[in-house]
Amino acid sequence: MATGVLKCPTDPAAIKKVHIDLWDEDCKFFNVDSLELFVVALPLESDDLMGRTWSDTNGHFQVTGCASDFGPINTPDPYIYIEHDCPHRTTNATEPIQIDVIPLFLPSIVRLGNIYLDRYLDDY
Amino acid sequence: MTNRFILLLFFLSGSLVSSEITHQPAGIYVRLNQKAVDYVADLASDALPAILNNLSPPDIKTEVATISKLHISNVAKPNISAKFIDGKGVAYNITLASFRASAFAEISVFVWTYEGDFTAELKELSIRSELHFVHNGTTTVTAPVCNVTHSELSLVFPPKSSLAALQSEIKGQIVSAIRDAVCSTAVEALTFVMAQKPISPESPSYEKPVAGDPNSFSVAELGASLCQVEKADGNEEEVTTPTPEDADSNSTIEASPQGYWGVDLSVNHPPTFTDEDMIIGLDGGILFNGWTADSAHQPHVLNKTRLDKKMVGILLSEYIPNTLFQHIYMYDLGNFKHRYTPTALPKMLQKLSKAVCSKCYVEVSANLTEQPRMEIDADLGARVQLSGNVSIMFHGREQLHDVLRANTKLHVTLKPTVRHSRIFGDVSLTNVDVNVFDLGLGGPLAAPIEKLFSFVVPRVLWPQVKKRLRFAMNRRGVKLPIFCGVELEHTELDFVDHAVLLNTDFSFDLPLFLTKFKTYLEVKSRMNPNLPKYVIV
């Protein structure tokens, strides 16, 4: 279970009823430079939707879900995906935000704290 | 003219360098700016009435008086402010609008005894003080300015109380106690903290720490409860002692020597103040059984100017992990043994293997052959070199067979970064060297197996290990969660030569702390009458 609070300084009303998904990442990654091979999924496998929620009027949310991956010592790799209407602080863009979550599983709760929707990773 | 200017510059730079060298180098530097102080002052202002109201402190006994049934109430929210003073220390003001305490007192004066209930009410208490930190070989703390004033202190006694005769003396004692607490006790406590140095176990004054009273108030225990992972069912994760593995288990941990760990909190770099910030340096070295790690070296000059911009800046040098590595290597704490019995096999094969040889097992063991060493570089990040022996033995029905002995050397590079409170990074196996020097399967196979290990470890095994270490190498980054009630915001993580830099703003979950504090105190005070407790009014 992951909890957090959405923040949107550019439009405070944009934190209500925001759609938040919890996904399990399943991908195949091959690094040509180092010849490292990550085989973490079967062929043609895509990310699995674990859970879905919407934020309340104060931007608080709580999302939980289930997933399983094939193979030993292969626990889910959770991330949250946020679709929102909060304008970016300089460009006014409203791109979805994705954040990896530390894989602590129920009954443990991961408290993510404040998540700012008006700034992206490429800002600086 | 130019020559004089150059000489002046040389002199000034020499002075700066010499001022750096006069202070002992520290393993960890912490910088707090005025914004952090203002934030903590606001927190304290909110916390004080929540903590003090309805608190019943334990009885106070002196030579002439016993104060019991103490109850504190009507504590208003104070105004607290603090400001750094350039080159000197910190000035703080506390203004408390109201404070009420009721108690029962027994006072002995010569042959007479006065006793009874009373209520003391303090209005507009004002504390204005400056703490100056002076370093002259050792750091001493003084309070050259310490004004404690109040507009009104009233004492209320029941009718015909004998204590009324001692009203002025009681008032004087209360004012004196407050003034001593602010102007003397705090100063003495800070001076004591500044002077702390670890005592070598060889010293006659050394005292081995003993287990404390489980019912006493422990800051470490309170901190541990604050840092417990929150649970969905409302129950906190209990801290349990690991239980011994059962006999059929496939994991066996080699018994490590009994010992206790500690941290050297010596103030190597005394607090230095400007109008905007304060920097203090602590040794930070890890202690094992009271011993310091002498072979770990502290870098002499660390670039403290990079500790800027945010509320808190922390400079952590490579000295600290190297002290830990020294203890691990010197006291054989890095030895590892893992035993695989037939129960470790898939269920389909367990019955067969037990039928063939129920007491057979494979044992994998490893130990360090050199002291691990961490080096931090501004461009490359943190690099750790590990060298060790690995052996695999097979215990058959009647005898033990050496299957494999190998010497390995690994060089791991780690360079995480933090942006928008998300951690990114990579863990690289920058070098791996495996030498198989004893192979029970047959001599001619040693060379091909050595080559196989040297390929398999970095190309296949290491990516799986890296994945399990959970460092996000993709575009998203792992959000730093709230931990111990602290949320890091606008965090930046950088590397300089010999150290890691963390600059961050932070916020603290005060309601969580107050809940944990009151719950902890309630539990402890049931067992220990010498602790304060809360009275439900």
Side-chain angles (χ1 to χ4, degrees):
Chain A
M1 178 188 291
T3 67
V5 183
L6 302 179
K7 297 281 186 185
C8 181
T10 51
D11 181 7
I15 60 173
K16 304 173 192 174
K17 296 182 182 177
V18 173
H19 175 197
I20 299 149
D21 283 343
L22 181 66
W23 290 87
D24 167 29
E25 180 179 21
D26 294 319
C27 69
K28 186 178 286 185
F29 171 75
F30 188 80
N31 187 323
V32 176
D33 294 331
S34 65
L35 297 181
E36 290 172 353
L37 178 65
F38 291 81
V39 181
V40 298
L42 297 173
L44 302 179
E45 187 167 354
S46 58
D47 294 353
D48 303 320
L49 180 63
M50 294 171 65
R52 174 168 289 169
T53 191
W54 285 262
S55 60
D56 65 15
T57 52
N58 297 319
H60 291 84
F61 70 89
Q62 177 180 299
V63 65
T64 183
C66 299
S68 65
D69 287 334
F70 177 78
I73 59 167
N74 194 8
T75 53
D77 305 287
Y79 69 94
I80 60 172
Y81 180 91
I82 307 172
E83 284 186 35
H84 62 94
D85 295 322
C86 176
H88 187 267
R89 54 187 176 171
T90 54
T91 65
N92 282 339
T94 56
E95 294 176 14
I97 287 177
Q98 301 181 47
I99 302 172
D100 274 335
V101 178
I102 287 180
L104 275 179
F105 303 106
L106 281 171
S108 298
I109 300 174
V110 178
R111 296 178 63 199
L112 299 174
N114 295 326
I115 298 174
Y116 287 86
L117 303 176
D118 67 335
R119 56 204 69 175
Y120 306 146
L121 292 176
D122 298 331
D123 284 2
Y124 54 82
Chain B
M1 181 70 174
T2 307
N3 290 340
R4 285 181 189 172
F5 181 68
I6 292 171
L7 278 172
L8 181 63
L9 274 178
F10 184 78
F11 173 75
L12 283 173
S13 61
S15 302
L16 285 171
V17 170
S18 64
S19 69
E20 282 287 343
I21 294 174
T22 52
H23 297 311
Q24 207 174 335
I28 177 170
Y29 291 90
V30 179
R31 174 189 175 271
L32 294 176
N33 74 357
Q34 186 61 47
K35 189 178 168 190
V37 170
D38 292 341
Y39 178 74
V40 172
D42 280 342
L43 279 180
S45 177
D46 291 330
L48 265 176
I51 290 175
L52 291 179
N53 272 321
N54 295 321
L55 188 69
S56 181
D59 297 348
I60 301 171
K61 292 182 181 175
T62 66
E63 288 180 358
V64 298
T66 299
I67 313 294
S68 59
K69 299 179 188 174
L70 270 163
H71 180 247
I72 299 173
S73 61
N74 206 31
V75 179
K77 179 179 171 179
N79 281 330
I80 301 177
S81 65
K83 183 82 176 66
F84 293 128
I85 308 172
D86 185 21
K88 291 182 182 177
V90 60
Y92 64 91
N93 293 331
I94 302 174
T95 307
L96 183 61
S98 66
F99 178 97
R100 181 186 297 156
S102 59
F104 179 86
E106 283 181 48
I107 303 175
S108 299
V109 181
F110 297 116
V111 297
W112 294 282
T113 299
Y114 303 83
E115 61 180 28
D117 295 313
F118 73 96
T119 300
E121 185 134 10
L122 196 62
K123 288 196 188 300
E124 300 302 328
L125 174 69
S126 172
I127 300 171
R128 195 174 71 83
S129 179
E130 287 185 15
L131 294 173
H132 291 190
F133 293 75
V134 179
H135 183 77
N136 197 358
T138 57
T139 302
T140 52
V141 184
T142 60
V145 176
C146 192
N147 298 323
V148 180
T149 59
H150 60 274
S151 68
E152 183 184 336
L153 172 59
S154 60
L155 296 177
V156 178
F157 303 97
K160 300 180 184 177
S161 170
S162 58
L163 280 179
L166 300 175
Q167 185 169 172
S168 60
E169 284 81 9
I170 295 173
K171 279 186 181 179
Q173 286 298 313
I174 291 174
V175 172
S176 173
I178 294 173
R179 186 168 287 120
D180 283 347
V182 172
C183 302
S184 302
T185 308
V187 170
E188 289 165 3
L190 281 171
T191 303
F192 175 77
V193 168
M194 292 290 148
Q196 286 304 291
K197 295 271 182 212
I199 301 174
S200 163
E202 287 179 326
S203 167
S205 57
Y206 175 76
E207 286 181 15
K208 184 178 174 182
V210 294
D213 178 7
N215 294 325
S216 64
F217 187 95
S218 164
V219 174
E221 268 187 1
L222 175 62
S225 75
L226 189 62
C227 297
Q228 280 174 349
V229 176
E230 196 177 338
K231 295 294 187 183
D233 55 7
N235 296 323
E236 301 300 337
E237 184 177 88
E238 292 178 5
V239 177
T240 56
T241 308
T243 54
E245 305 286 353
D246 55 74
D248 291 333
S249 168
N250 59 4
S251 61
T252 306
I253 300 170
E254 187 173 87
S256 55
Q258 293 297 316
Y260 56 92
W261 295 93
V263 179
D264 185 350
L265 295 177
S266 304
V267 180
N268 288 2
H269 186 286
T272 53
F273 298 87
T274 68
D275 286 331
E276 294 298 322
D277 61 21
M278 179 272 291
I279 295 179
I280 186 170
L282 305 177
D283 186 283
I286 307 297
L287 307 173
F288 183 70
N289 287 341
W291 292 102
T292 59
D294 295 328
S295 71
H297 298 293
Q298 290 203 13
H300 267 272
V301 180
L302 288 175
N303 189 357
K304 297 187 287 296
T305 59
R306 295 283 300 274
L307 291 172
D308 59 359
K309 296 179 275 188
K310 303 288 168 62
M311 290 165 74
V312 175
I314 299 174
L315 185 69
L316 202 70
S317 90
E318 62 197 13
Y319 162 76
I320 294 176
N322 285 331
T323 58
L324 175 66
F325 290 148
Q326 180 184 328
H327 294 310
I328 289 174
Y329 179 67
M330 294 297 292
Y331 298 102
D332 295 329
L333 301 175
N335 295 348
F336 167 80
K337 257 187 194 173
H338 199 102
R339 184 176 289 182
Y340 294 91
T341 59
T343 53
L345 293 170
K347 286 188 178 174
M348 290 185 300
L349 298 175
Q350 276 186 28
K351 282 186 181 175
L352 179 64
S353 62
K354 282 180 181 175
V356 169
C357 179
S358 62
K359 293 183 182 177
C360 293
Y361 60 82
V362 172
E363 190 170 273
V364 178
S365 60
N367 62 282
L368 295 169
T369 52
E370 288 177 20
Q371 181 175 320
R373 180 166 169 74
M374 176 176 282
E375 292 175 358
I376 300 178
D377 182 85
D379 299 317
L380 300 174
R383 299 173 296 166
V384 180
Q385 181 159 305
L386 299 165
S387 299
N389 280 336
V390 178
S391 77
I392 300 175
M393 291 191 293
F394 173 72
H395 192 288
R397 288 181 187 167
E398 292 175 9
Q399 89 186 96
L400 199 60
H401 304 272
D402 275 339
V403 175
L404 174 78
R405 282 179 190 257
N407 180 276
T408 63
K409 203 172 252 191
L410 305 174
H411 201 244
V412 180
T413 299
L414 176 72
K415 195 177 181 187
T417 54
V418 177
R419 279 186 288 135
H420 296 286
S421 298
R422 300 192 216 176
I423 187 165
F424 299 81
D426 197 2
V427 184
S428 305
L429 190 61
T430 38
N431 188 34
V432 61
D433 187 20
V434 180
N435 295 312
V436 179
F437 55 84
D438 188 5
L439 193 63
L441 297 176
L445 291 175
I449 288 182
E450 179 182 336
K451 287 185 181 174
L452 180 66
F453 270 117
S454 294
F455 175 82
V456 165
V457 170
R459 301 282 187 259
V460 179
L461 291 182
W462 182 245
Q464 293 301 316
V465 172
K466 199 157 49 168
K467 178 175 180 291
R468 293 302 117 201
L469 289 174
R470 298 294 184 184
F471 274 93
M473 292 158 285
N474 56 22
R475 63 194 184 286
R476 287 190 289 266
V478 178
K479 178 79 165 61
L480 295 171
I482 296 176
F483 189 64
C484 303
V486 177
E487 179 177 0
L488 302 183
E489 296 178 359
H490 315 301
T491 306
E492 293 176 7
L493 184 71
D494 295 295
F495 291 83
V496 295
D497 288 338
H498 307 296
V500 171
L501 274 168
L502 181 75
N503 283 301
T504 184
D505 290 337
F506 69 93
S507 60
F508 184 67
D509 190 343
L510 184 62
L512 175 71
F513 170 77
L514 291 172
T515 303
K516 294 282 187 179
F517 176 81
K518 290 187 176 181
T519 304
Y520 179 77
L521 199 58
E522 185 183 346
V523 169
K524 288 289 184 177
S525 62
R526 280 190 217 137
M527 307 292 186
N528 188 344
N530 295 322
L531 287 175
K533 54 181 179 289
Y534 286 94
V535 176
I536 301 171
V537 177

